[in-house]
Amino acid sequence: MASEQWTSYLLEQVRQLPIASSKQQVQFRLNTITSESLRQNQTIPPQFEFIFQGFLYSRSGRLIESINLFFDAITFAQQNKQEFLICFCHYNIGTIYGMLGNYFYAHKFLTKAEKSNPVGDGYIIGLIKNNIGDIFLQLGNFNEALSHFEEATLLLQQHGHKLSAAVPLFNIAEIKAKQCHFDDALDILSTLFDDIKEDPQFLGFYYKIKAEISNDNIDDAETFHLLSIENMCRCQNDYYQAAMILEYCQYLTSHHKYEMLDAYVESGLSIAKSIESDKLIDGFNDIILLRIKDIPVIEIREQYYQTLTSSLLNSRRELLKREGDYLQQLYRLNTAKLQLSTMRSLSDNLALINKIGQYINHSTDLQSILPTIQQDLSSLFQIDTLALGFYDKETDSISIHYIDENHTPKAPYITNCKNEATYMSYCIKSDSSFYFNHMNSEQKVTMLGDKCDKKVHFKSVMFSPIKINDEIQGGFTVQAKESYQYQAFHFELFTQLINYISIALENQYNRQQLLYLSQTDHLTQVWNRKSLDAHFLQLKKQPSNIYTSIMIDIDHYKEYNDTYGHISGDKVLIKISKLIKEHFHGLNTEVYRYGGDEFFILIAGINKEKTQKKSHSLLKAIKYLFIPHEKSTCSHYVSASIGISYIEEGLNTLTLSQVVDRADKALYKAKEMGRDCYYDFSQTEALIQ
């Protein structure tokens, strides 16, 4: 198994860890990857070791030790730029702080995980939202809790395994029961039962809520409480076992059933202390205080109250202070260590992005430096392909320039947006930057529709539209074949890079526009005389330098202006220049407005027959505009004359003036022969139209 495949395997094993409800199940998964590492001759990186051990400790009730292991895992994950693992550890640290009853830190880490979680991994987002909802539930904010649980349910139903949505649904049912909406709670429980009846942890939750719903029926409620404890004992999750015992003790206290209470309080408090959960310890201590208050004989009650409560409260205060100080110290030390590591990494990465941005901004052809961009970006994150797409709004198509994993530029290809839906077209048309890390074919079809290629070639991608002068002109992407390659930190760097690319392309576009404006005739939009001078110098350097030169003149144009006005004269120039471009279009042909009503054409190569046909066709098209010209001596309508010359000895021996002069002399011959015709020096006479 290749190194990348082994990392992907480990990432998926980590992703599935929340399914393991007991320490035995976590241990089984740890044993499995250990065996697989030996079989594949692979090592398990320390960040993965710490995460599995952290999970094992959390399921074993060693909560504070578990937090330390997850912090250690983050340190190594940051060094390897594994943002998914960092997010996953933040999620678990927040979850454990919630189990300890420290809701401030719980909310802090869970929201950090929510913000940094990879877009597209709905399963992890769903777990995070459920645990944030649980904090609001514990604090009694039912509306906020319900909102998070409902979001979590939708995400886990769509992206999780079969039973993953059961957790937020149980939480919703619990809130409904607390709000006395018993029918709603029972409906949820009945829909879940067939799926969870073989899972002891879910059965524990199920019977706990049934007990709450049946609270008025003492015998049924007690039966359900005992079933919830029994199932939590079966799944060997110490935290939930203690939590179910506490629920039962609260039930016994509220119904003054003290014969069983003392034994269960002692058992539950022992487990709560072993896992160091302030929340559960406080709950059992409250039960003890209520128990003392309910002793009927006043003298005995006072005696117990003064001795037990004094000792209990003093010890509890000291315990809370010690635990509070320790947890705060733990938080400060670890976050300071992580912030230092992050700042160093951030500084280095931003420096590289700035370096890339500088040479992008100085580039006159961004496509030519794509391999360099890919090579530099590869030090930040995995890149199996990189692409730059330019959108043509008129044809609704995208021209895509891309580089493969071997840093090899590929020939650009065109994708038609009407016929095929792609990530690039979605990015451009929705003006959306996005990234995801675990795309499958179903999710791809959901995102892009049936017109997309349903096969997933790259599981991790980042996309962003590119704006030039505040208008979307294209898109940029980097992609990796394996899952979980791009996270929030990478995406921030990627969007920073997009700013440089957009500025560079905008500068490039504006330079081209300025150059175009300086070299084109503003009226007819063909090249101007200044550009002819520049182009001619370039053409003389070409290996092939035989050319056809053509001069076109509108017949009696001055008289037309004098008769119909200069505005009408400009319209004639525009229409005729358009016809000239239509007849003499091509990669090896350039059209220039030489001056006034004169147009010059330079064609690479010589094809006398084709040139004559085009000239004949052009003169006919001009006549067929049927623009009246009463002052013309050669036609009732606007017409033109054409002179054609061939440079067969090559441009190297001639100046531009000599080339133009040859075509001009041919034009003069056409005028001598009565105008409204073309004259070709290879012909013996003018060809009248």
Side-chain angles (χ1 to χ4, degrees), residues 312-484:
L312 175 69
L313 292 173
N314 287 335
S315 64
R316 183 65 193 134
R317 287 193 195 99
E318 289 301 314
L319 179 63
L320 280 172
K321 186 176 186 305
R322 285 198 308 273
E323 289 181 351
D325 290 345
Y326 176 71
L327 288 173
Q328 289 178 23
Q329 183 183 27
L330 179 72
Y331 172 76
R332 285 197 299 269
L333 286 173
N334 281 289
T335 51
K337 178 175 66 177
L338 295 178
Q339 284 171 357
L340 179 61
S341 174
T342 300
M343 287 305 294
R344 285 175 179 165
S345 175
L346 181 63
S347 175
D348 292 343
N349 291 337
L350 284 176
L352 179 57
I353 289 293
N354 286 332
K355 170 199 163 189
I356 296 171
Q358 286 174 10
Y359 69 66
I360 285 176
N361 277 334
H362 288 93
S363 169
T364 56
D365 180 14
L366 191 58
Q367 294 92 304
S368 66
I369 62 169
L370 286 181
T372 308
I373 296 173
Q374 184 188 33
Q375 186 173 359
D376 284 341
L377 286 181
S378 295
S379 65
L380 297 179
F381 34 71
Q382 179 64 31
I383 301 177
D384 291 325
T385 191
L386 173 150
L388 176 64
F390 294 98
Y391 180 58
D392 187 331
K393 194 172 184 180
E394 290 185 7
T395 60
D396 197 16
S397 63
I398 305 171
S399 174
I400 298 177
H401 305 254
Y402 72 105
I403 311 290
D404 65 12
E405 58 191 310
N406 298 317
H407 302 276
T408 306
K410 299 297 181 181
Y413 67 92
I414 306 293
T415 177
N416 190 313
C417 299
K418 294 177 183 176
N419 301 330
E420 182 183 6
T422 63
Y423 296 131
M424 186 70 82
S425 61
Y426 178 87
C427 164
I428 292 170
K429 293 195 171 187
S430 64
D431 188 10
S432 300
S433 297
F434 60 87
Y435 74 112
F436 50 75
N437 280 297
H438 196 61
M439 180 59 72
N440 57 41
S441 56
E442 292 80 9
Q443 292 169 328
K444 186 175 182 182
V445 172
T446 300
M447 180 180 181
L448 302 178
D450 291 331
K451 287 186 177 180
C452 73
D453 174 6
K454 296 175 179 59
K455 186 176 180 181
V456 175
H457 303 277
F458 298 92
K459 293 181 180 177
S460 301
V461 306
M462 293 191 284
F463 273 87
S464 181
I466 291 173
K467 291 186 177 180
I468 300 175
N469 296 325
D470 294 326
E471 185 177 348
I472 296 174
Q473 301 280 358
F476 187 75
T477 179
V478 295
Q479 304 179 18
K481 294 177 181 177
E482 301 300 328
S483 300
Y484 309 117

Side-chain angles (χ1 to χ4, degrees), residues 121-149:
D121 196 342
Y123 172 61
I124 298 298
I125 300 173
L127 295 177
I128 294 168
K129 286 190 177 294
N130 174 76
N131 288 9
I132 294 175
D134 189 60
I135 294 173
F136 288 112
L137 172 59
Q138 300 303 320
L139 296 173
N141 188 339
F142 292 161
N143 289 335
E144 195 67 36
L146 274 175
S147 174
H148 280 82
F149 291 145

Side-chain angles (χ1 to χ4, degrees), residues 20-28 55-56 59-61 235-238:
S21 59
S22 68
K23 54 190 172 186
Q24 283 75 17
Q25 291 177 3
V26 178
Q27 186 65 62
F28 175 78
F55 239 92
L56 188 61
R59 293 295 191 258
S60 304
C235 80
Q236 298 183 312
N237 187 306
D238 292 342

Side-chain angles (χ1 to χ4, degrees), residues 45 122 195 277 321 354 369 514 539 582:
D195 290 331
S277 171
K321 186 176 186 305
N354 286 332
I369 62 169
L514 287 172
L539 292 174
E582 288 175 358

